Every structure is written in C-alpha cells, then in structure tokens.
C-alpha cells in the first residue's frame, strides 16, 4: 500500500501537464473580396470595363457582317479579281480583329488578376494584425476546409476592418 501511495504521489508531483491551446480560425476571402467596399468597387469597375469591351467587340462584328453582306451583294457587279481582293482584305481584317480580341481578353484577365492580387496584398497586413490582436495562430481559407465550427469564421469581422481601413480601390 505504501508503494502504491508513493507511486501516486510521484506521478502527481513530477509529471508535467502541458496545456496548449492554439487558436485556429478560417476566412472566406472570396466573400471578403465580393462584399467589402474596396472589393466590390474593383468588381464593379471590372464589370463596367468588360461590358465596354464586349460592346466594342459586338460593334466590330456588326461592321464585319455589314461588309460581308455588302461584298456578297456586289459579287455579280464587280470583276472577279476585285471581288477576290476584297474578300482577302476582309479575311485579313477579321484575322486582325480576332488577334486584337484575344489580346483584349488576355489583357482584361491579367488586369483582373493583378488588381485582385493588389487588394489581397492590402488585406494581408490586416489579417496579420487581426491574428496578433486575437492571438490566432493559424488562419485558413474556407475553401480548403471540409468541416469547421462556424464560431471559427472571422470573415465578417475582417470585412468590417477592411471597410474601415481600405476606403477605395481604383483599377490600374
């Protein structure tokens, strides 16, 4: 009995109990970008630019359709060589249009990615400060999670901070 009592006392006094609590949180960055004032400003500016580009492209396509219709109507009136030359000119114009269209789309996608990344660069220090203030060890993206408690979601708090610290964002 004495041995059992001394063994219990030994474990009570000489074992270290380690309590480690690492705070973990998650954030929905897509929601931050789409609902924060600066993020929605970027999205609105990009949407407006995209509409402008699409309208320009539709207008150009209409011009080509009109030229094609006009050329077809002149087929029997003009000489065969003139007709072939005009068809070749139209094909060249359409080829240039397609190249310009592809370049315009690529430039728009690059602009979208660059401006979203610039906004995320502005949000990152806010997240670092927030994690230091709240003593959060790890912040994960919501899209990478399978299951998590909703109490760990800091998205709405971060949106409020982003709205107060990043007032306006102009696309470049």
């Amino acid at each position: 009995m004495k041995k059992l009592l001394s063994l219990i006392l030994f474990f009570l006094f000489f074992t270290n109990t380690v309590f480690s609590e690492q705070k973990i949180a998650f954030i929905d960055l897509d929601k931050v970008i789409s609902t924060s004032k600066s993020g929605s400003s970027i999205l609105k500016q990009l949407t407006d630019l995209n509409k402008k580009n699409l309208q320009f492209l539709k207008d150009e396509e209409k011009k080509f359709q009109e030229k094609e219709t006009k050329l077809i109507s002149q087929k029997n009136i003009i000489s065969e060589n003139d007709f072939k030359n005009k068809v070749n000119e139209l094909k060249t114009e359409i080829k240039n249009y397609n190249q310009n269209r592809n370049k315009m789309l690529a430039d728009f996608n690059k602009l979208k990615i660059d401006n979203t990344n610039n906004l995320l660069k502005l949000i990152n220090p806010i997240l670092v400060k927030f994690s230091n203030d709240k003593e959060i060890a790890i912040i994960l993206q919501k899209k990478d999670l399978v299951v998590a408690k909703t109490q760990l979601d800091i998205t709405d708090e971060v949106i409020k901070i982003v709205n107060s610290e990043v007032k306006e964002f102009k696309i470049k």
Side-chain angles (χ1 to χ4, degrees):
M1 181 73 176
K2 237 181 182 183
K3 285 185 178 182
L4 182 63
L5 185 60
S6 58
L7 188 62
I8 292 173
L9 287 175
F10 175 78
F11 278 112
L12 285 175
F13 289 117
F14 295 108
T15 56
N16 291 333
T17 309
V18 178
F19 294 101
S20 174
E21 183 180 325
Q22 296 287 333
K23 287 178 97 177
I24 298 175
F26 66 89
I27 186 168
D28 186 355
L29 284 175
D30 294 332
K31 182 178 178 182
V32 172
I33 290 172
S34 64
T35 59
S36 67
K37 291 178 184 176
S38 54
S40 53
S41 170
I42 288 174
L43 294 177
K44 184 182 181 314
Q45 292 174 56
L46 288 171
T47 302
D48 292 344
L49 180 63
N50 193 35
K51 284 180 183 177
K52 181 181 161 189
N53 287 347
L54 289 175
Q55 187 59 46
F56 172 77
L57 293 175
K58 282 183 183 179
D59 292 343
E60 290 294 309
E61 286 177 13
K62 280 184 182 180
K63 289 178 185 175
F64 289 128
Q65 288 175 347
E66 290 171 2
K67 284 183 179 181
E68 181 183 25
T69 306
K70 184 179 177 184
L71 188 60
I72 290 172
S73 67
Q74 292 178 347
K75 182 178 181 180
N76 294 331
I77 300 172
I78 60 176
S79 68
E80 192 174 325
N81 281 342
D82 287 343
F83 179 74
K84 286 181 181 179
N85 288 338
K86 288 186 179 188
V87 167
N88 288 335
E89 287 176 17
L90 184 61
K91 284 181 180 180
T92 305
E93 288 178 23
I94 291 173
K95 182 180 176 184
N96 290 337
Y97 162 78
N98 285 330
Q99 289 174 343
N100 290 337
R101 182 177 143 260
N102 290 338
K103 183 181 182 308
M104 186 182 288
L105 293 173
D107 290 345
F108 176 78
N109 287 333
K110 184 179 183 318
L111 182 72
K112 183 178 179 180
I113 290 169
D114 289 345
N115 282 287
T116 304
N117 286 340
N118 289 339
L119 178 61
L120 290 174
K121 285 178 186 175
L122 294 174
I123 292 173
N124 193 42
I126 294 170
L127 288 175
V128 170
K129 185 177 183 300
F130 184 83
S131 68
N132 289 336
D133 292 346
K134 301 285 184 174
E135 297 178 355
I136 299 172
I138 299 172
I139 298 177
L140 302 170
Q141 284 198 47
K142 185 177 182 179
K143 66 181 179 182
D144 296 330
L145 298 176
V146 176
V147 177
K149 292 182 179 180
T150 56
Q151 298 94 315
L152 300 176
D153 189 2
I154 59 170
T155 304
D156 294 331
E157 296 173 65
V158 172
I159 288 172
K160 289 176 187 174
I161 296 169
V162 169
N163 285 341
S164 66
E165 292 190 19
V166 182
K167 296 294 182 190
E168 194 172 320
F169 194 93
K170 298 274 187 194
I171 59 173
K172 300 173 187 174

